């Protein structure tokens, strides 16, 4: 029977002091606030604001989410290309920035769209470019996590889940209290604003700064190092 390595302790001291880890966590929080409209509110928006029947609603939603899937492999290729050309730090940071800039533009396209095709393409662009940034975030987390991959991935992902959980509550509050025209514009602007926040946050992330310094990134589980 193969020996199993005991679990490592969570590096609390380093994690709580790591700017890059906090910025990566906040980046995922704001990204999910901006993205979660697609899964929490898109169908309702198309039905109540754009008055689409269930068939067209389903078609628009399916196209948008399919384009999001396409964005993942494209994002991986973009991250690899940028990293080889400009180094690890820029290669992680710039896809995080550029994809969110285009996703913000897609939100403004959404607000101007008035046909099912335009809305499918606008929401599809939003989904695709948000997802295109995720491979860079995954690569970044590998860069800064050292021997604590699972723990620190989980930490940052937890903050992303907080964003996805907060999004419907915040947007719901905004729509109830500020959406006087019942057109969701204020909710869409808030989601776009969350993505703008993620752009600013991305500039403070440095893939060259590990959470645990290399000289201290040793096995704390008691198992022998290999």
């Amino acid at each position: 029977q193969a020996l199993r390595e005991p679990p490592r302790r969570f590096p609390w001291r380093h994690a709580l002091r790591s700017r890059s880890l906090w910025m990566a966590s906040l980046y995922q929080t704001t990204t999910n606030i901006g993205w979660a409209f697609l899964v929490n509110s898109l169908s309702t928006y198309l039905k109540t604001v754009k008055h689409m029947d269930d068939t067209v609603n389903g078609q628009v939603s399916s196209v948008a989410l399919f384009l999001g899937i396409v964005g993942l492999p494209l994002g991986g290729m973009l991250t690899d290309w940028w990293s080889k050309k400009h180094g690890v730090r820029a290669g992680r940071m710039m896809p995080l920035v550029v994809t969110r800039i285009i996703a913000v533009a897609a939100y403004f396209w959404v607000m101007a769209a008035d046909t099912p095709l335009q809305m499918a393409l606008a929401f599809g662009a939003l989904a695709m470019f948000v997802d295109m940034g995720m491979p860079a975030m995954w690569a970044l987390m590998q860069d800064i996590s050292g021997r604590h991959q699972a723990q620190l991935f989980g930490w940052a992902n937890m903050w992303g889940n907080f964003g996805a959980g907060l999004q419907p509550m915040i947007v719901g509050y905004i729509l109830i209290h500020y959406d006087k025209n019942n057109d969701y514009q204020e909710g869409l602007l808030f989601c776009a604003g969350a993505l703008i926040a993620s752009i600013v946050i991305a500039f403070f992330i440095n893939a060259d700064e590990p959470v645990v310094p290399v000289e201290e990134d040793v096995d704390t589980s008691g198992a022998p190092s290999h």
Side-chain angles (χ1 to χ4, degrees):
Q1 183 177 2
L3 295 175
R4 293 185 177 180
E5 185 176 318
R8 298 185 179 92
R9 299 184 185 95
F10 189 88
W12 285 106
R13 179 169 61 90
H14 294 294
L16 294 176
R17 296 169 59 185
S18 171
R19 183 181 70 176
S20 287
L21 180 62
W22 277 114
M23 293 299 102
S25 301
L26 291 175
Y27 183 91
Q28 294 194 52
T29 303
T30 52
T31 286
N32 276 4
I33 290 174
W35 167 84
F37 186 91
L38 292 167
V39 292
N40 291 330
S41 308
L42 176 56
S43 180
T44 302
Y45 172 78
L46 295 175
K47 185 174 182 178
T48 60
V49 176
K50 298 300 181 180
H51 309 294
M52 292 184 180
D53 60 38
D54 290 341
T55 299
V56 178
N57 189 327
Q59 291 170 344
V60 171
S61 300
S62 297
V63 169
L65 295 176
F66 173 77
L67 289 175
I69 296 173
V70 172
L72 288 170
L74 292 177
M77 291 185 283
L78 174 65
T79 301
D80 287 344
W81 176 83
W82 220 314
S83 298
K84 290 176 182 177
K85 190 172 180 66
H86 299 289
V88 171
R89 181 177 183 181
R92 289 3 177 189
M93 182 179 69
M94 292 314 297
L96 297 177
V97 170
V98 172
T99 58
R100 295 304 176 266
I101 291 173
I102 301 174
V104 170
Y107 259 120
F108 287 96
W109 185 12
V110 163
M111 288 185 274
D114 57 6
T115 70
L117 178 59
Q118 289 175 358
M119 282 181 278
L121 294 176
F123 278 114
L126 171 62
M128 183 171 71
F129 282 98
V130 168
D131 281 359
M132 278 184 69
M134 296 318 297
M137 176 54 65
W138 298 334
L140 165 77
M141 291 305 302
Q142 291 183 43
D143 295 330
I144 68 174
S145 293
R147 296 171 64 93
H148 301 274
Q149 298 280 322
Q151 295 160 315
L152 297 179
F153 260 85
W155 171 272
N157 190 63
M158 172 187 72
W159 287 93
N161 289 335
F162 287 157
L166 287 171
Q167 190 271 345
M169 292 186 284
I170 299 173
V171 171
Y173 179 87
I174 290 171
L175 295 178
I176 291 171
H177 294 279
Y178 299 102
D179 185 25
K180 305 304 181 184
N181 296 321
N182 297 316
D183 57 5
Y184 272 56
Q185 296 295 291
E186 289 79 6
L188 293 169
L189 286 170
F190 171 77
C191 292
L195 293 179
I196 292 172
S198 73
I199 295 168
V200 176
I201 290 166
F203 286 104
F204 294 92
I205 300 174
N206 187 350
D208 290 329
E209 293 181 356
V211 175
V212 181
V214 174
E215 63 274 14
E216 298 183 43
D217 192 13
V218 296
D219 192 344
T220 58
S221 65
S225 300
H226 299 284

